[in-house]
Amino acid sequence: MPFMRGAAPIRRTLQYLEKGSIVLKDKIKVVTISYCTSLNRKARNDGTRKFVFWHLPQLQYKNPDVQILTFRDMTPSPFITAYLENDKKILIETEGRTKEEIHNHVQLVLGKSVEKLKVEKTEETINPANFGNGFQRWCICEVPGQVPCPAFVPLPEEMTGKYKVKKYQESQES
């Protein structure tokens, strides 16, 4: 498999991405991570570099609405900056920390709490507007006032795609 090549291919598996524990707060819009990879500064930047290597894919997977940027070799000291929706920013100094310390600190400062995640999960399952596997209704056609499934009740002719294409072709010919 071509996706299993390279350094630590486990990072590309869906199972690994879903195990990420950092879900950022809703008010965070952009996160930047700055670190240096040069040899003379490697010891101070090693934790940040490893955090980016191991936890950044999970962070991006769990937070698709947040823009996450990495800046390599632009600053001598490593740091993480989170920009909030009200034009404020949070600066986290990561120099000399391990990847686990950085992960725990980011979870504490920028992440949602476990209780908040549980409440959001229960709100999602209780909402009667949701349908599909694991919800009250399997299909939207079960909701009163919606168009029934075409598998059981045929759609009116004007709602089918063939009818619309046929009408369009007739209007082009005349």
Side-chain angles (χ1 to χ4, degrees):
M1 289 196 240
F3 67 91
M4 295 304 281
R5 294 184 181 164
I10 187 79
R11 295 179 308 146
R12 297 185 192 99
T13 61
L14 189 59
Q15 182 182 8
Y16 178 77
L17 295 175
E18 288 174 347
K19 283 187 179 180
S21 61
I22 301 176
V23 178
L24 298 175
K25 295 176 183 175
D26 296 331
K27 60 185 174 181
I28 297 174
K29 298 301 174 194
V30 180
V31 174
T32 63
I33 304 172
S34 300
Y35 63 101
C36 189
T37 58
S38 65
L39 292 175
N40 57 349
R41 293 187 175 91
K42 192 172 185 177
R44 296 188 316 189
N45 291 274
D46 198 40
T48 309
R49 187 178 53 80
K50 288 181 179 178
F51 175 80
V52 168
F53 186 81
W54 289 107
H55 296 293
L56 185 64
Q58 294 174 336
L59 194 63
Q60 290 174 324
Y61 181 79
K62 289 283 190 169
N63 303 287
D65 297 331
V66 178
Q67 182 179 3
I68 301 175
L69 305 166
T70 57
F71 297 119
R72 289 177 42 178
D73 299 326
M74 296 183 80
T75 60
S77 60
F79 59 90
I80 298 173
T81 308
Y83 296 91
L84 309 179
E85 63 186 8
N86 57 0
D87 295 332
K88 292 187 179 182
K89 63 182 179 179
I90 299 172
L91 182 68
I92 300 173
E93 188 66 37
T94 61
E95 186 171 349
R97 294 185 183 180
T98 64
K99 71 176 173 123
E100 291 82 14
E101 290 173 346
I102 296 170
H103 179 272
N104 294 338
H105 191 72
V106 169
Q107 172 70 36
L108 180 69
V109 175
L110 303 178
K112 292 180 183 177
S113 65
V114 177
E115 296 82 23
K116 175 132 177 132
L117 291 173
K118 286 181 183 177
V119 168
E120 287 179 355
K121 184 72 174 170
T122 57
E123 286 176 359
E124 180 181 302
T125 57
I126 293 174
N127 189 348
N130 292 335
F131 60 92
N133 192 12
F135 296 105
Q136 287 179 331
R137 297 180 177 93
W138 174 252
C139 182
I140 188 105
C141 69
E142 297 175 16
V143 178
Q146 297 295 323
V147 176
C149 280
F152 304 115
V153 179
L155 287 172
E157 190 177 59
E158 60 272 2
M159 292 180 76
T160 62
K162 290 181 181 179
Y163 179 80
K164 290 179 183 179
V165 170
K166 183 179 172 185
K167 288 298 257 183
Y168 176 74
Q169 288 174 347
E170 287 176 1
S171 67
Q172 293 296 323
E173 291 174 1
S174 24

